[in-house]
Amino acid sequence: MAAAAESDPLLPPARRASMLMDYLGVLRATHPPERAAAIDMGAFRRGLREPLGALLPPAGEPADRFDALRLFDEHGVLRDAVEDLCREHLVPHPALERHWTWGRVRAEQEERRLYETLRRLSPEEYRRARTLLCEHPAGGLRELRRAWDGLWMRFDFFETVSDWPWSRLEGWWYPCPMCRWPMRVVAHGSTVDVRCEAHAARGVHYRCAPGGRGSGPVPLVGTGRAAVAVQGVPATTEHLALTRPVWRYGTLPTLLELALRDALVGLPHTRVGMWPGTVRPDEYDLHIEVTVPGRRRRVWRVDAKAWESTTALAGMLEQRDVLPYALTIVLPDHQADDRHFLTARLRGRRMTVTTVGRLVAAVRAACGAVPR
């Protein structure tokens, strides 16, 4: 992960420095104290571009040592084999657990891999992939292959639903009606709840219907305001879903962006573009332009964020370079109370913070649409 951060030309310098400090702390914890003190940031960054022997902790066994391994090729490009080595050899370590849980390490790797894959796409492919992450995050293998088409072999971010015991109810899984990803099954004694991790607070939760079970999926009774009828799907090896980190950091933000677009499309004098960047399609998410004859043109460059922790989001945004244009950070409506905290943290960075509902109201007012 340190090598990936070191080699990413699009990573803001402050963000890179923060990540490398984190990784250096993990590496130092694998060494005896007297050796750890000698590995400062300079030694760490040099060691990433040299044979790895100087950075590795003492070996318990001679097998699978990587003393001579180089992470970068002769042109300074991260070697393709690094990802394979991470998949094959990176294992939990007590020192790692003190800094990060194993789950966090896997999530960090998967999130980085997603964004690196997206960045290698053309602008057209990027926009299509972002939409597919939202519209087809789970389903039957044939259905997914048909939907993803030429992008299927480039997006190996799917796992078999049958390997996720938390999503199965007597051999069936249930897609969330909002995000289409498998909902979680939670048993409380004789009661079984089924709910979406991301949308339970918005009313996507169910309970098993008592009795009347046949050979098909267990019927669910909606217990939330957004619990529309859902059909159970067989939890077989032929049914796949995006990994949790990709769903969390790829699907959920895209849902927010598309919901915002759908609320604005069709308004008078208003033009909405999705992922409009030409050099980097992920530069920001929506470009909203309102041009009313006789009035000043209004423009919003929107970056939608679906983070659980507003504090963590603030830390990430503070590490960005100051932008050459004004950026509007949009939060889900249920995080309306957090916008004041985020605004205070981002003061002086050319960023304003609002929510989906507030931005829609502002655009409608600017274009002269009748208020809802």
Side-chain angles (χ1 to χ4, degrees), residues 349-362:
R349 304 193 64 83
R350 303 197 71 183
M351 296 181 186
T352 58
V353 183
T354 187
T355 62
V356 171
R358 287 173 177 271
L359 179 59
V360 170

Side-chain angles (χ1 to χ4, degrees), residues 29 33 65 84 136 157 176 224 296 308 347:
R65 287 291 291 171
D84 297 329
H136 295 277
F157 295 99
C176 167
R296 182 173 62 89
E308 285 297 322
R347 187 168 287 116

Side-chain angles (χ1 to χ4, degrees), residues 148-183:
W148 285 80
D149 194 28
L151 291 173
W152 177 251
M153 297 303 295
R154 303 175 72 172
F155 275 78
D156 58 335
F157 295 99
F158 289 87
E159 294 180 355
T160 306
V161 178
S162 60
D163 291 336
W164 295 353
W166 54 265
S167 71
R168 299 198 309 265
L169 179 58
E170 298 186 9
W172 302 81
W173 64 275
Y174 298 81
C176 167
M178 288 189 176
C179 66
R180 301 181 175 91
W181 202 67
M183 293 191 285

Side-chain angles (χ1 to χ4, degrees), residues 177-194:
M178 288 189 176
C179 66
R180 301 181 175 91
W181 202 67
M183 293 191 285
R184 181 173 291 275
V185 177
V186 183
H188 305 283
S190 60
T191 303
V192 178
D193 292 329
V194 180

Side-chain angles (χ1 to χ4, degrees), residues 42-181:
F44 183 39
R45 298 185 73 172
R46 287 193 301 273
L48 291 173
R49 297 182 178 276
E50 298 173 354
L52 282 184
L55 293 181
L56 295 178
E61 299 178 1
D64 270 350
R65 287 291 291 171
F66 301 118
D67 299 70
L69 176 69
R70 290 181 177 270
L71 302 178
F72 295 87
D73 64 18
E74 64 273 16
H75 304 293
V77 178
L78 193 65
R79 295 165 59 93
D80 292 337
V82 172
E83 182 177 313
D84 297 329
L85 288 168
C86 286
R87 287 173 174 268
E88 296 168 5
H89 295 281
L90 186 58
V91 296
H93 188 285
L96 204 61
E97 288 291 336
R98 286 199 293 270
H99 290 261
W100 291 338
T101 63
W102 179 235
R104 180 183 168 190
V105 173
R106 291 294 303 274
E108 178 95 1
Q109 285 184 320
E110 197 77 343
E111 183 186 355
R112 270 201 78 75
R113 198 162 67 87
L114 169 64
Y115 287 120
E116 287 168 1
T117 299
L118 289 170
R119 283 175 178 177
R120 288 195 290 267
L121 302 177
S122 68
E124 294 76 16
E125 289 175 326
Y126 176 93
R127 296 181 182 99
R128 182 162 173 261
R130 288 293 301 271
T131 303
L132 287 167
L133 286 171
C134 178
E135 295 181 348
H136 295 277
L141 180 57
R142 289 184 181 180
E143 169 199 342
L144 291 171
R145 278 181 171 170
R146 186 166 55 250
W148 285 80
D149 194 28
L151 291 173
W152 177 251
M153 297 303 295
R154 303 175 72 172
F155 275 78
D156 58 335
F157 295 99
F158 289 87
E159 294 180 355
T160 306
V161 178
S162 60
D163 291 336
W164 295 353
W166 54 265
S167 71
R168 299 198 309 265
L169 179 58
E170 298 186 9
W172 302 81
W173 64 275
Y174 298 81
C176 167
M178 288 189 176
C179 66
R180 301 181 175 91
W181 202 67

Side-chain angles (χ1 to χ4, degrees), residues 126-132 134-135 180 252-268 270-276 285-289 300 302-304 330-331 355-357 359-361 363-364 372:
Y126 176 93
R127 296 181 182 99
R128 182 162 173 261
R130 288 293 301 271
T131 303
L132 287 167
C134 178
E135 295 181 348
R180 301 181 175 91
L252 296 185
T254 304
L255 274 174
L256 190 65
E257 295 153 15
L258 295 180
L260 183 54
R261 178 203 64 185
D262 292 345
L264 299 175
V265 166
L267 291 178
T270 303
R271 186 166 60 88
V272 182
M274 295 294 295
W275 308 299
D285 301 322
L286 291 92
H287 184 95
I288 305 167
E289 187 172 321
W300 291 265
V302 175
D303 194 358
V330 175
L331 305 177
T355 62
V356 171
L359 179 59
V360 170
V363 175
R364 291 182 68 88
R372 288 181 177 178

